[in-house]
Amino acid sequence: MTIYLFEHSPEALLPLTHLRPAYDLRCGAYTALERTQVLFPGAQLALGCRAQLRDVVAERTGLSVNTLPDGPVLFLNGAALLTRDLAAMLLSLP
């Protein structure tokens, strides 16, 4: 399974999202991207962001950016704050 973190309405988090995608904002110890990597340890990750950030995000993360992967994909809003319980519920989905 591939988890695709995407941005939805980054203008809602301005000015914090001028230079980074929403999933790169820190909330507590982790960014949303780091939290996703911790909560879904075996999953492939792919990212979606604004076109002007694509090259920078790809270079910083080493992940596929703005390219939809093949096979089953779980789309997650990059501004969502995942918890262990939510991650477990998502993993239990067919």
Side-chain angles (χ1 to χ4, degrees):
M1 172 178 64
T2 302
I3 296 176
Y4 190 89
L5 281 177
F6 65 92
E7 283 192 298
H8 179 68
S9 301
E11 62 277 355
L13 296 171
L14 287 175
L16 301 173
T17 56
H18 271 300
L19 301 174
R20 65 185 68 227
Y23 48 77
D24 201 23
L25 298 176
R26 191 163 298 280
C27 183
Y30 299 111
T31 65
L33 175 58
E34 293 167 343
R35 186 172 281 113
T36 302
Q37 291 170 323
V38 168
L39 293 173
F40 299 96
Q44 296 266 7
L45 290 176
L47 305 172
C49 67
R50 291 163 277 158
Q52 62 265 35
L53 297 178
R54 184 188 67 231
D55 295 337
V56 173
V57 171
E59 183 179 321
R60 288 186 66 216
T61 64
L63 298 171
S64 172
V65 180
N66 291 354
T67 304
L68 288 178
D70 295 330
V73 179
L74 174 63
F75 290 91
L76 291 178
N77 187 333
L81 294 177
L82 292 176
T83 63
R84 290 185 202 278
D85 293 337
L86 180 58
M89 184 198 71
L90 292 171
L91 285 173
S92 71
L93 294 173

